[in-house]
Amino acid sequence: MSKQFFPNLSQNYIEILKDDEYYDITIEVGEDPNVKIFRAHMIILYYRSPFLRRTLASNKKNDKGALSHIKLSNISPDIFQIIL
């Protein structure tokens, strides 16, 4: 059973990265004219990246549950895609 669990889990994470419907944060990356907006899931970012954990901790959701948005202009979209 565990032999099937982990490959399925990895596949699920890949699917989550491609999900355009159930995201709760947008991340604007790069500088003009090379800017890209990524859609992501805060809970995954929070637990997988110490840097993003600190960034997200200082960028709490508002009371209305609106999407969170952060800007990371000091990294290129191509590099961020690899990191993500």
Side-chain angles (χ1 to χ4, degrees), residues 19-67:
D19 187 319
D20 282 341
E21 187 174 355
Y22 296 108
Y23 59 92
D24 58 0
I25 187 169
T26 54
I27 305 167
E28 186 175 332
V29 179
E31 294 182 357
D32 285 332
N34 189 24
V35 173
K36 184 173 180 180
I37 296 178
F38 293 87
R39 296 179 180 113
H41 307 273
M42 283 194 293
I43 192 75
I44 294 171
L45 298 176
Y46 183 86
Y47 283 99
R48 297 295 299 163
S49 168
F51 168 76
L52 289 172
R53 179 179 298 152
R54 288 187 302 274
T55 303
L56 292 170
S58 65
N59 188 32
K60 300 282 185 187
K61 271 188 171 180
N62 65 27
D63 292 336
K64 296 178 183 176
L67 286 176

Side-chain angles (χ1 to χ4, degrees), residues 29-30 34-36 38 75-84:
V29 179
N34 189 24
V35 173
K36 184 173 180 180
F38 293 87
I75 187 168
S76 77
D78 293 337
I79 299 296
F80 191 76
Q81 178 68 51
I82 293 168
I83 292 169
L84 193 59

